[in-house]
Amino acid sequence: MRRSLFIAIAGVAAVLAACKGGKSDAGESFPADFNALPDTARVAYVMKNTTPDSVARFICRAALGQVKGAGIESLGVATSYAYEKYSGNDLDSFGDEYDNFVSSLPLADKMRMYVMAGVEDPQGLGLQLGLEYMQSVRENNLSVDDVKRELKAFKQACGNDSNTYKRFIIGFRTVLEADSGRDMPKAIYDNFINYE
């Protein structure tokens, strides 16, 4: 009895650490067959052991391959399951954290999440990301070097899809032009208004 209680507590602690951004190196934090389970069963397991906001972070991080010992194959299936099972404040907490987590991701990871979720029209994905990016620059107080690193990683993530990258640049330049002279650092405007 004590041993099974200890294992259960250790498993919950490992799931919480994974969901809060800590790295869990313990494969035993999940059942041995965890990755053989369907996404809905994986999400159900985490829902039983932690809070809705942690479940949102778990789903996102697992879909991005950032949770050792746990993956999510279909982001749409996993999030739909959570949305169907939660209600009231739990549903609000899950939805808010999911949106906040995705919006705080680096540009390349955000694109991957949008693609996996299938929520964006592929033709409009680059433009949408470009229009949203200045908000991320402001909120995260990104420097010129930070932005250059993210744009380089984003361009690599686009791979052969040069149209998505080009549309991103169009969207980003549109916001730079519209917000010029406001609370945008001059160095950001100067470095990226003609960025290729």
Side-chain angles (χ1 to χ4, degrees):
M1 170 86 173
R2 269 190 181 176
R3 183 169 188 253
S4 61
L5 179 62
F6 174 75
I7 290 170
I9 291 171
V12 170
V15 168
L16 288 172
C19 292
K20 288 184 178 175
K23 292 189 178 174
S24 173
D25 294 325
E28 67 275 5
S29 62
F30 300 102
D33 63 344
F34 193 71
N35 273 331
L37 298 172
D39 286 335
T40 54
R42 292 178 214 170
V43 173
Y45 176 86
V46 177
M47 287 174 75
K48 287 179 189 173
N49 293 295
T50 192
T51 59
D53 58 321
S54 291
V55 172
R57 290 188 297 273
F58 166 80
I59 290 172
C60 294
R61 292 185 65 240
L64 289 168
Q66 298 174 351
V67 179
K68 186 170 182 174
I72 292 292
E73 294 172 24
S74 172
L75 185 61
V77 168
T79 54
S80 294
Y81 181 82
Y83 275 117
E84 288 170 10
K85 298 299 179 185
Y86 282 132
S87 61
N89 289 337
D90 288 344
L91 180 61
D92 292 342
S93 177
F94 174 83
D96 289 347
E97 183 59 22
Y98 182 91
D99 291 343
N100 290 336
F101 187 90
V102 172
S103 73
S104 72
L105 287 170
L107 192 54
D109 285 341
K110 186 187 282 191
M111 180 185 72
R112 288 177 56 208
M113 289 293 289
Y114 281 0
V115 169
M116 285 188 283
V119 295
E120 294 294 328
D121 167 20
Q123 296 297 319
L125 176 61
L127 185 61
Q128 182 65 34
L129 286 168
L131 292 170
E132 294 173 356
Y133 188 58
M134 194 60 216
Q135 180 180 347
S136 181
V137 171
R138 284 187 177 105
E139 288 176 358
N140 297 312
N141 208 15
L142 298 179
S143 69
V144 168
D145 288 341
D146 294 332
V147 173
K148 284 182 179 177
R149 271 192 296 276
E150 283 208 351
L151 294 184
K152 182 178 178 182
F154 178 67
K155 190 172 189 177
Q156 288 175 336
C158 288
N160 294 330
D161 183 8
S162 61
N163 287 331
T164 295
Y165 182 78
K166 288 175 187 173
R167 288 185 185 108
F168 168 84
I169 293 297
I170 291 168
F172 188 36
R173 283 183 185 158
T174 300
V175 175
L176 288 171
E177 196 62 52
D179 288 1
S180 176
R182 295 188 186 171
D183 61 344
M184 179 193 319
K186 186 176 184 319
I188 295 291
Y189 179 87
D190 290 345
N191 277 273
F192 300 106
I193 191 61
N194 294 312
Y195 194 82
E196 294 296 329

